[in-house]
Amino acid sequence: MDSVTRDADPSTVAGELERVSSGVPGLDQVLDGGLIARRGYLLRGGPGLGKTTIGLSFLLAAEEEERTLFIGFQEPEAELQANAARVGLDTRRIEFLSLAPSEEFFTGAETYDVFAASDVEQAPMIDTVVEAVERIQPQRVFIDSLTHLRLMSADRYQFRQQVVSLLRFLVDRGATAMFTSEFSAESPDDDLQFLADGVITLDPGISSPTVEVSKLRGSQTRRGPHQYRVDENGVEVFPRILPPMRRLTNGAGSVQFRSGNGDVDEMLHGGLESGTITLITGPSGVGKSTVAAMIAAVAARDGHRASVFQFEEELDGYLRRLRNLEIDVDGPLESENLRVEQIEPLRYLAEEFMADLLQRIEEENIDLVVIDSVTGFDMALNPDEAVHRPLHTLAKSLSRRGITVLLVNENHAFGEDFQISSRDISHLADNVIFFRYVHGGDTLEKLIGILKKRMSNFERVQRRFEIAPGGFRVGQPASAVLQGDGGRKDKT
Amino acid sequence: MTAETPLGVILIVYQPGNARVLARAAEEAGMAAARASTADELQALLNQREGHWVALVDPSGFGETVWPMCQRLQDHGIPFVVLSTNRHRDAGNRSLQYGAASVLYKPVAKEALLNLLRSLQPGTGSTREDADDGQA
């Protein structure tokens, strides 16, 4: 680092901004390539959100020849090292400067009330920090937290001047600095946000914490909140996925995926075109999952690769049900052209699941994906959001890569009260296969119909059908029912 | 004690943390600090002292035993400042009866306190109004 010739701006080399890794998987993507070297970054958030772990990861991302310094006001060094070890971080490379009070402070030997803290603590603290920085000459410094400096400052002006001066001191000595702040409505940290070159905010969220980079001087960032996870492996950020702006393949519609049932395929005028999104919608127990599984199984038997993500049913029950209906899933499962995976609620974050799925699709050349069901997907991965942003992102990301998507959706419509979807997702769909129950005298009859198909014509009548041992049997057009279908509502 | 001998400050302070920061502040300002937390310790200091001495008294933690020590300072002609708290204004008032030169209410501004101690040396004079300038 010292041999590099820098420009007047300490963050640039040969006119280019020099980036350093934040050390947190995924965060560098949000930062558009990493932190800009030799600048000061504010990491803000409430307790328990992983600020110290992120700080340690930042220090551990230093190059082997670089030196790092952790300045802590809260925990003694041994406690910090023990906590770091619990999340798999080996802190032996880090120099610690602990300014945490000793136990004597509590027992009375150190407590004082004759002077304000600013009169007593500040000068020795600054001397200690200056001495440590001059001695260690770190390339990375993490300060946890500046809230303590605020508490020992005489007033806001003094605090601001001290922070500016401290950052200048560190940057002038070639260090990239990250410092934390705790904030609340009663104790805001707006001043630090103005002073910092970058602001990284951690928020607890409702079901998962998020990180947002609201400021990065001289650089783009990936905007908005991004989910992250803190666990025994440290911190990992899952950058918010955006679908490609346009289709990435020219092969949309080059293949038709069939259900294997001649009547259903006839209604679809051959099948579902590749690269499309199909909404298979209907009330509970009507046969949506069965039809989706039939299409996936036939695709697999035809040599395509299909993945079913089952968010609702237990896997063994789901497969047993398909076998009872004589849907051949065992051959495709054996050939590994068909994969069926049960997704446990709360196991994944939405962005984590999507990133994992998109990576697998690249690696395994998956052609068809079934999400069974939309409700299960939302409950497992997206419990907080009123809108279906993750589902929209996933479906569009897949279809624009040429992958066919089947979304199994339960609606609560019954009888004449017909809706495509009560979840406002039909705008996503290129094709809509709907199921419904209607009164047929003393019994309920099941109807199947095609409501929409963007890439080809389709049969515009509803048909009666049955699901029973032996398979899926489609009957004649339900003309009598259609004639009495005045209550139909298309809620797209 | 010659003119170059530093001003001595007797710290009649019970709380170790306060004794520590007051001693450090006095020493950083070029004064000599000595702590007495009992009447015997105070007597020993008074017996040994040379040159000019002033005293700082923080009554917190002493209870009634602090007042005889104040009386002894007065008897020996040692000017002293009392550090009180707003909650114990009666103690501040009582200390004046024992001859305190000033009463300051904690926390005090370090520089103002040191200036007040210097002003208590013979020939520099002191006023009770100085106390008002000492508030942090």
Side-chain angles (χ1 to χ4, degrees), chain B residues 10-11 17 20 34-35 39 43 45 60 71 79 87 89 95 107 116 121 123 131:
Chain B
I10 299 171
L11 303 172
R20 178 179 59 85
R35 182 185 176 197
Q43 190 57 53
L45 283 174
S60 304
Q71 183 64 57
R87 281 184 303 152
R89 283 188 172 266
S95 66
L116 178 57
Q121 291 182 83

Side-chain angles (χ1 to χ4, degrees), chain A residues 153-164 191 195:
Chain A
S153 294
D155 54 47
R156 286 174 65 91
Y157 176 76
Q158 294 291 329
F159 175 64
R160 187 185 164 93
Q161 295 297 91
Q162 280 157 358
V163 173
V164 170
D191 45 4
L195 296 176

Side-chain angles (χ1 to χ4, degrees), chain B:
Chain B
M1 198 180 234
T2 64
E4 289 77 34
T5 307
L7 174 65
V9 184
I10 299 171
L11 303 172
I12 300 179
V13 178
Y14 185 84
Q15 204 175 346
N18 278 339
R20 178 179 59 85
V21 297
L22 287 167
R24 187 194 294 166
E27 286 163 2
E28 284 173 357
M31 302 173 190
R35 182 185 176 197
S37 54
T38 65
D40 290 344
E41 286 175 7
L42 173 60
Q43 190 57 53
L45 283 174
L46 292 172
N47 293 342
Q48 305 166 7
R49 79 184 197 280
E50 286 180 15
H52 298 301
W53 284 81
V54 295
L56 267 174
V57 180
D58 180 355
S60 304
F62 283 112
E64 289 297 310
T65 62
V66 77
W67 306 121
M69 289 196 274
C70 289
Q71 183 64 57
R72 200 163 295 181
L73 290 172
Q74 189 179 23
D75 295 344
H76 283 78
I78 308 273
F80 65 96
V81 174
V82 171
L83 303 172
S84 186
T85 62
N86 269 319
R87 281 184 303 152
H88 299 102
R89 283 188 172 266
D90 54 334
N93 295 334
R94 193 169 170 190
S95 66
L96 294 174
Q97 296 167 19
Y98 285 92
S102 276
V103 179
L104 302 181
Y105 291 97
K106 297 186 282 188
V108 299
K110 192 197 288 184
E111 279 309 311
L113 176 65
L114 294 170
N115 287 335
L116 178 57
L117 291 177
R118 287 189 195 101
S119 75
L120 294 177
Q121 291 182 83
T124 55
S126 70
T127 62
R128 287 192 178 171
E129 287 73 36
D130 291 330
D132 297 332
D133 299 330
Q135 307 311 303

Side-chain angles (χ1 to χ4, degrees), chain A residues 65 100 102 161 289 316 330 353 478 485:
Chain A
E65 69 278 11
S102 63
Q161 295 297 91
S289 294
D316 52 352
D330 291 316
F353 173 76
D485 196 15

Side-chain angles (χ1 to χ4, degrees), chain A residues 27 30-31 199-201 211-216 221-222 224 226:
Chain A
L27 185 56
V30 177
L31 292 162
V199 178
I200 302 167
T201 301
V211 57
E212 182 165 8
V213 178
S214 54
K215 174 181 175 183
L216 188 59
T221 62
R222 200 178 287 194
H226 307 270

Side-chain angles (χ1 to χ4, degrees), chain A residues 306-370:
Chain A
S307 267
V308 177
F309 294 94
Q310 181 52 256
F311 288 84
E312 291 195 348
E313 287 186 67
E314 291 294 324
L315 216 50
D316 52 352
Y318 174 70
L319 293 174
R320 194 182 318 120
R321 189 162 58 81
L322 298 178
R323 288 177 189 122
N324 287 345
L325 294 171
E326 296 177 10
I327 297 169
D328 176 16
V329 287
D330 291 316
L333 284 172
E334 233 165 75
S335 72
E336 296 188 347
N337 276 352
L338 177 64
R339 288 182 56 165
V340 182
E341 192 174 330
Q342 186 179 349
I343 307 296
E344 296 288 346
L346 306 179
R347 179 175 158 197
Y348 291 100
L349 301 174
E351 306 291 344
E352 180 183 16
F353 173 76
M354 289 193 283
D356 184 52
L357 178 57
L358 291 173
Q359 186 185 341
R360 269 202 264 164
I361 280 163
E362 294 278 333
E363 290 170 359
E364 298 174 16
N365 292 320
I366 294 171
D367 302 298
L368 185 141
V369 168
V370 178

